[in-house]
Amino acid sequence: MVMRTRQSQRRRQVLSRERIVETAIEVLDAGGEGALTVRALTERLSTGAGAIYHHVGNMNELGQAATETVIADALPWPVASGGGAGGSGGAEEAGETGGAGETGKAGKAGESGKAGESGRAGKAGEPGRAGEVGGSRGPRECPEDRIRAVALGLYDAATEHSWLASRLAAQLTREPWGAVTPRIFESMGRPLRDLGVPRGDWFTTTSTLVHYVLGATSQNAQAADDVPGDAPPDTEEVRAAFLDTASRAWRDLDPEEYPFLHDIADQMRAHEDRAQFLAGVDLILAGVTASRPR
């Protein structure tokens, strides 16, 4: 009896909200939204439903916590490190790179550096991932580079976690006062403010950029989930075959009726999703720069 009591105490000590959230992310990654059930969690954690509900109020709260955890890891600058109105926000203050008060470690080649990390150059022809700008990250990025890092952090997180995009869209439209939307707006808005956007345009400009980023990430995540047949998603072979089919279909259209599609068919087949995404961010930033007061 004493041994059983000690074993139960050890289980309660090991089980924590953080561990439950981490397990929920693993379940979501493996099976999507529908897979996140109390039964799935109890089986993975070898515990009962009561122990789980002791740490999280309900499954919706757990899903929100999972989303918040992934976003916190994806955004390269902590919100708390920014400056006041008119100042430069983010980690460029005090010459920091990455997390507040520490210099981030180097990320692996072609991979994203997590918050507080500095990433090395990505693959040839591919933009640097979160924590990278132009393949490397210096101690004091300009506002445009900070915006690109935030955008790529969100894009890469949604690519890695296919369930994330729909969660972000739902929170943006249904619960903009929750933990995730304010963090995204703050991370995007501070560098946009530092670009000299007039105060009256802060909300519209930031909303435009946020909606583009989340819309593009959602489309990319949906495309990965819609791979036909039993082929594994997100493989170069599957993607190349899909783009080749689409490109040939565009080229087969009547060139007199569809001259533009006929001309860009090969560009569509050869495009890289991540580079195209970043090009869209740059188009918005170019518009912001061109329209700001001189």
Side-chain angles (χ1 to χ4, degrees), residues 55-112:
H55 293 280
V56 294
N58 52 54
M59 296 304 290
N60 182 57
E61 179 183 327
L62 180 57
Q64 291 178 345
T67 303
E68 293 165 13
T69 298
V70 171
I71 291 302
D73 289 339
L75 296 183
W77 285 282
V79 169
S81 67
S88 295
E92 69 173 323
E93 293 189 357
E96 294 176 358
T97 299
E102 62 180 68
T103 300
K105 299 178 181 178
K108 295 180 180 179
E111 295 182 355
S112 62

Side-chain angles (χ1 to χ4, degrees), residues 239 243 266-277:
R239 180 180 181 278
L243 291 179
D266 288 338
Q267 295 178 22
M268 187 269 285
R269 180 184 57 189
H271 87 277
E272 198 276 322
D273 292 334
R274 202 162 175 275
Q276 183 187 49
F277 167 76

Side-chain angles (χ1 to χ4, degrees), residues 123-170:
K123 297 179 181 178
E126 214 177 288
R129 306 207 171 200
E132 307 167 358
V133 179
S136 63
R137 183 174 176 182
R140 297 181 66 85
E141 289 84 359
C142 64
E144 291 92 341
D145 285 349
R146 288 156 54 198
I147 290 169
R148 292 185 189 102
V150 172
L152 287 174
L154 292 171
Y155 181 90
D156 289 338
T159 300
E160 181 179 356
H161 308 280
S162 61
W163 52 272
L164 181 63
S166 60
R167 278 269 176 181
L168 292 179

Side-chain angles (χ1 to χ4, degrees), residues 6 16 29 102 105 141 144 168 190 206 217 232 250 271:
R6 289 177 178 173
S16 64
D29 288 346
E102 62 180 68
K105 299 178 181 178
E141 289 84 359
E144 291 92 341
L168 292 179
R190 285 187 183 181
T206 306
T217 56
W250 281 13
H271 87 277

